[in-house]
Amino acid sequence: MHDDLIAKASAWLAEDPDPETRDELAKLIEAGDVTELSARFSGTLQFGTAGLRGELGAGPMRMNRSVVIRAAAGLAAYLKKNGQTDGLVVIGYDARHKSADFARDTAAVMTGAGLRAAVLPRPLPTPVLAFAIRHLGAVAGVEVTASHNPPRDNGYKVYLGDGSQIVPPADAEIAAEIDAIVSLNDVPRPDAGWETLDDAVLDAYLARTDAVLAPDSPRTARTVYTAMHGVGKDVLLAAFARAGFPEPVLVAEQADPDPDFPTVAFPNPEEPGAMDLAFAQARATDPALIIANDPDADRCAVAVKDGDAWRMLRGDEVGALLAAHLVARGATGTFAESIVSSSLLGRIAEKANLPYEETLTGFKWIARVDGLRYGYEEALGYCVDPEGVRDKDGITAALLITELASALKEQNRTLLDLLDDLAVEHGLHATDQLSVRVQDLSVISDAMRRLREQPPTELAGLAITRAEDLTQGTDKLPPTDGLRYTLDGARVIVRPSGTEPKLKCYLEVVVPVATHADLPAAHTRAAELLAAIKRDLSAAAGI
């Protein structure tokens, strides 16, 4: 076993084009570090509907240039097999470690395969790449990003020519082409021949951002903005300036790209502590709201002043606010969300006589809804301009929520006042999440198995009226690894995360509210129910 492992590692080392990972791997082989070598050579990073994502390092179970070259070659083979023999592949990248290298390698592989390749001019938000695919008529797009993962990670996201992320069976077909590559020496990688784009694509994206706002809408709301050490700042500031909003006050410590993300444990606005610097800046400058992007700026977080303290709005709250704003502006078309997001969107759409769709989690599904006008997911993802960007877009979402805050400000009202109105109109829809990050993935499969073998019959004293195992699919949804429980006045969904080692449980309770005076009692009741559901679900799942 030991000799076999060393032989595998040595064969990989012989082909590795990156001096850094070569050096790292040579040291592991020399030291005979079986534990570390086993971890890196126990298989290969699996290419799925999220593309690739993993820790940087040498070996097939890590993100590195060898793995990326194979992924690019597999994608090129898939495109050619599907008749795209000389189509354009556009490539974007964030500011993480190795992102620029991975983008360049992808361009070289596409060029070597006879396709045309164009690389965005510098690290830019993921939505700019999603926009560029449709704008340039590309047959595919690649974004090198690990979004809001820890600093040591990177990833590889693939879009097809419709501008949305891949879904089955394309993912499995690309994975099969990747597996068919025997040696990196078989993959031609010229030193030149691709195009590096200028700012024309970015300018076209920015020109489209104007279209998400209503002509002549008030643009007075003041904001504090954090880019979370990512690539959002310049594009967001440009979009806000074009729109005529006051210039956002930056959280200086997090404004510029830094692949080490020094001020946060996880560069995700949802993680505890990530927004502390933004809250401090807001206490000093008293804006109407705080806007945060994640590092690749496809997500948008919003925080507001609640009494004397600042608090993050949940993704579901922002999702409902944007929907109500679009309805008030007379939007037509389908409103869509994933099954883990709040059912309030369905109520808002129904009352406005608008079509409504529920999809599996992920914008790869939401973006494919026919006639989509607005789509959102509770994990801070909003698609407010589906014709321009068929994916979540943290820049245009920031513009739209700031327009709404400005309109409310003119009436001496706030985002929280509008949320109260929605609760009185449709019932208080309160959501929460029980999220367990694990070192050992078997904890997740054990919990799912336990819930399947011994399903709970009630949670928080509420009877479960319907239990669905989503691996079977439903009349509206393709199969996915998840469980959905419908309760009397509540809903629970349990699923493994697609991008992180986490088990995620999404909880929602709906408490009827007769008048504004009943809101405090409804909030108390909702909080009690959510806490009790969390407790009972933890016990049932053994987590």
Side-chain angles (χ1 to χ4, degrees):
M1 168 63 200
H2 176 257
D3 290 348
D4 183 37
L5 188 59
I6 296 291
K8 247 190 210 172
S10 300
W12 183 274
L13 178 65
E15 288 190 356
D16 190 337
D18 187 336
E20 272 182 59
T21 42
R22 268 208 313 271
D23 186 44
E24 184 187 315
L25 188 52
K27 282 177 179 157
L28 292 174
I29 294 169
E30 200 180 317
D33 189 336
V34 175
T35 312
E36 190 59 34
L37 287 170
S38 299
R40 290 157 184 255
F41 286 86
S42 58
T44 54
L45 270 190
Q46 285 308 295
F47 185 92
T49 49
L52 293 166
R53 210 179 275 190
E55 191 177 336
L56 289 162
M61 288 297 287
R62 298 284 183 268
M63 281 297 294
N64 51 62
R65 290 182 59 198
S66 299
V67 163
V68 164
I69 289 164
R70 286 171 184 274
L75 173 59
Y78 165 85
L79 291 171
K80 288 165 79 171
K81 203 171 260 190
N82 283 276
Q84 312 287 3
T85 47
D86 63 348
L88 174 69
V89 178
V90 60
I91 301 149
Y93 58 103
D94 67 12
R96 283 178 180 264
H97 292 297
K98 298 282 182 191
S99 287
D101 295 343
F102 295 167
R104 183 189 162 85
D105 282 331
T106 303
V109 170
M110 295 302 160
T111 305
L115 291 148
R116 290 177 295 126
V119 185
L120 292 180
R122 58 185 168 281
L124 286 167
T126 293
V128 177
L129 181 273
F131 167 81
I133 295 164
R134 288 165 64 79
H135 181 68
L136 298 172
V139 297
V142 170
E143 176 69 20
V144 179
T145 181
S147 190
H148 55 275
N149 274 39
R152 62 179 184 276
D153 288 6
N154 212 329
Y156 199 79
K157 201 187 259 194
V158 175
Y159 298 75
L160 291 180
D162 62 355
S164 50
Q165 294 173 53
I166 52 168
V167 293
D171 56 341
E173 290 168 15
I174 295 168
E177 297 293 347
I178 295 170
D179 290 344
I181 292 150
V182 181
S183 163
L184 283 193
N185 299 330
D186 303 337
V187 181
R189 298 199 311 280
D191 290 332
W194 58 89
E195 182 187 359
T196 299
L197 295 164
D198 59 18
D199 277 357
V201 167
L202 178 59
D203 293 343
Y205 168 82
L206 284 168
R208 249 208 101 83
T209 62
D210 302 350
V212 305
L213 301 173
D216 310 323
S217 60
R219 316 245 168 125
T220 54
R222 288 169 41 251
T223 53
V224 158
Y225 172 70
T226 174
M228 208 62 70
H229 298 298
V231 298
K233 179 192 73 171
D234 291 348
V235 179
L236 182 126
L237 289 180
F240 269 59
R242 285 181 68 101
F245 287 112
E247 186 177 342
V249 175
L250 299 178
V251 178
E253 301 94 328
Q254 299 176 334
D256 294 316
D258 186 332
D260 294 318
F261 304 103
T263 68
V264 288
F266 287 94
N268 177 354
E270 291 179 294
E271 293 281 350
M275 294 290 286
D276 287 357
L277 289 169
F279 290 157
Q281 182 63 269
R283 285 193 293 272
T285 51
D286 200 32
L289 69 167
I290 299 172
I291 301 281
N293 285 139
D294 67 337
D296 69 327
D298 62 352
R299 286 175 167 81
C300 175
V302 179
V304 293
K305 200 169 187 182
D306 191 357
D308 291 330
W310 283 84
R311 78 164 172 98
M312 280 273 290
L313 292 179
R314 291 191 164 276
D316 284 318
E317 292 176 311
V318 177
L321 287 168
L322 291 175
H325 183 42
L326 289 169
V327 165
R329 275 179 32 185
T332 56
T334 303
F335 280 31
E337 66 181 338
S338 63
I339 54 170
V340 299
S341 306
S342 169
S343 58
L344 177 54
L345 184 70
R347 305 265 178 106
I348 292 170
E350 186 184 14
K351 182 141 191 196
N353 289 316
L354 291 173
Y356 164 76
E357 290 278 336
E358 246 187 353
T359 73
L360 293 185
T361 50
F363 268 80
K364 55 184 180 276
W365 298 109
I366 295 170
R368 285 187 153 69
V369 167
D370 276 348
L372 182 67
R373 172 60 186 89
Y374 168 64
Y376 98 91
E377 185 154 77
E378 54 69 48
L380 311 183
Y382 314 93
C383 174
V384 301
D385 176 26
E387 282 310 300
V389 176
R390 292 231 168 137
D391 199 2
K392 54 189 177 290
D393 182 346
I395 306 291
T396 47
L399 287 169
L400 199 60
I401 197 76
T402 309
E403 177 184 62
L404 172 58
S406 300
L408 290 165
K409 182 171 160 259
E410 303 286 294
Q411 305 160 22
N412 247 345
R413 284 159 46 80
T414 67
L415 295 173
L416 293 179
D417 292 330
L418 180 52
L419 281 173
D420 286 349
D421 292 351
L422 291 172
V424 172
E425 193 174 352
H426 303 287
L428 174 64
H429 289 62
T431 56
D432 201 357
Q433 203 182 108
L434 171 62
S435 182
V436 185
R437 188 181 288 274
V438 300
Q439 292 294 318
D440 177 0
L441 289 174
S442 69
V443 173
I444 294 176
S445 47
D446 289 351
M448 295 297 287
R449 189 179 67 244
R450 187 168 165 162
L451 288 170
R452 286 189 168 107
E453 288 171 1
Q454 302 167 318
T457 54
E458 63 166 44
L459 295 168
L462 303 175
I464 291 177
T465 54
R466 189 170 175 206
E468 298 166 277
D469 187 340
L470 299 176
T471 44
Q472 311 304 311
T474 71
D475 53 350
K476 291 201 168 165
L477 298 169
T480 186
D481 185 9
L483 299 164
R484 177 161 63 178
Y485 303 116
T486 306
L487 295 85
D488 198 9
R491 183 216 65 200
V492 172
I493 289 171
V494 184
R495 62 179 276 272
S497 167
T499 53
E500 296 175 275
K502 278 183 175 181
L503 181 69
K504 291 185 162 183
C505 312
Y506 304 84
L507 327 174
E508 177 176 47
V509 299
V510 184
V511 180
V513 185
T515 67
H516 280 76
D518 301 312
L519 277 166
H523 279 287
T524 303
R525 171 71 178 145
E528 287 166 356
L529 280 173
L530 287 169
I533 291 173
K534 250 187 195 179
R535 184 193 63 227
D536 293 354
L537 186 62
S538 290
I543 50 175

